[in-house]
Amino acid sequence: MTEFAAPLLDVRSDTVTRPTAAMRRAMADAEVGDDVLDGDPTTRRLEAVVAERLGKERALFFPSGSMANQAAIWVQSTPGTELLLDADAHIIHWEIAATAALCGVQVRPIRGAGSVFRAADLAAGIRAPSIHAIEPSMVCLENTHNGAGGAVTPLNELRALASVARGVYLPVHLDGARLWNAAVATGTSLADFAACADTVMVSFSKGLGAPVGACLVGPADVIARAHRARKRFGGGMRQTGILAAGALYAVDHHFDRLADDHEAATYLARLVDGVGGARVIMPDTNIVMIDLPRPCADDVVARAAALGVRISKWHNSRVRAVAHLDAPIGLIAEHGPKIAQALADALA
Ligand SMILES: *Cc1c(COP(=O)(O)O)cnc(C)c1O
């Protein structure tokens, strides 16, 4: 099968976006300093803006969301304890057991009755204290939830989850790589969501379309310790203002437009739902998970690629397509039918 050098449509992930010309100009013009030595002015500005938007004392810029998640866990957990989190959490499946390798904690996957765990599931997962029981040290939430197809946990449910955690004095970390999408999809403010957690990670390189980076936000003392963790993990970077300028540009200019991605994802979901028996859960945000009636994800991905469209395999019976800045609804309307074609052919 032929692979197109430059695909007609690449919806593998919202991480494939390239910085726009205006974003590149903002990056090129950024005022910079040595962020390890004495702080980079543009990075400080980004951190101030993000802390303010999320209603937290302090923010710290990280090279990646994974490093920010792990720093949050490193500073708020204790070795030899467990983290309680949703069974499909990014922290469990896509961070190559960093919780075990770096933080010395084990994960306790909680499987909810629905697609994302709820307060009652979390409450049921907390072990009664005993000399035989593993002590919990933290709860991690994820909103939107990547593995659940960009599902939004609404504010009332997030508050209920936080209140279960706080009822047993556990700190809460929110993996909010796509919290921006949750805010746009619901109209709930970032700060209201963030108030449900002690620390929050937000990513700039997903739907917001910046090339690199994430922030961890939280109380000043926790973020000061996370700064030490970042240094220890090798995440101290120098003239980070060039990256921070891209992130600042993204926060200022690409936040409201996430609504377009949500519309495009719904459009694509309708286009492919039912083709060859494939099933789509209608997306809350920008991620379309396509469940296949039999395990043939590799075949579907290869057939789509041969037609010039790149999608990703989630597991043997599921493929994923994600709407983003460089895959607007017009392009999806033009080339999305090729995904339907690949499904029909693979499932014929
Ligand atoms: C992408 C992602 C991360 C990690 O971010 P990176 O910058 O790729 O390390 C964490 N959590 C969720 C839910 C994500 O989608």
Side-chain angles (χ1 to χ4, degrees), residues 323-345:
H324 56 76
L325 190 61
D326 293 344
I329 195 159
L331 209 60
I332 286 180
E334 189 181 349
H335 300 299
K338 298 182 173 78
I339 301 175
Q341 183 67 51
L343 285 166
D345 292 348

Side-chain angles (χ1 to χ4, degrees), residues 62-149:
F62 276 79
S64 72
S66 299
M67 192 192 278
N69 275 343
Q70 294 305 323
I73 293 164
W74 199 82
V75 300
Q76 292 176 104
S77 67
T78 313
T81 63
E82 67 182 6
L83 302 182
L84 293 102
L85 65 187
D86 184 79
D88 288 326
H90 190 283
I91 289 170
I92 296 184
H93 295 282
W94 305 101
E95 299 182 21
I96 53 170
T99 45
L102 303 178
C103 306
V105 292
Q106 78 177 19
V107 291
R108 177 86 188 285
I110 311 269
R111 176 77 62 195
S115 66
V116 184
F117 79 157
R118 294 186 161 249
D121 308 311
L122 177 61
I126 292 171
R127 302 172 200 266
S130 130
I131 184 64
H132 311 292
I134 305 160
E135 277 182 72
S137 64
M138 256 183 107
V139 171
C140 297
L141 308 174
E142 185 175 319
N143 203 16
T144 68
H145 195 296
N146 189 352

Side-chain angles (χ1 to χ4, degrees), residues 260-273 282-283 288 328-337:
D260 300 344
D261 295 345
H262 301 169
E263 191 193 345
T266 300
Y267 178 92
L268 179 62
R270 293 208 177 103
L271 196 71
V272 298
D273 190 32
M282 279 304 143
V288 184
I329 195 159
L331 209 60
I332 286 180
E334 189 181 349
H335 300 299

Side-chain angles (χ1 to χ4, degrees), residues 272-290:
V272 298
D273 190 32
V275 176
R279 282 286 158 224
V280 172
I281 304 158
M282 279 304 143
D284 289 344
T285 56
N286 66 331
I287 299 176
V288 184
M289 292 293 194
I290 306 168

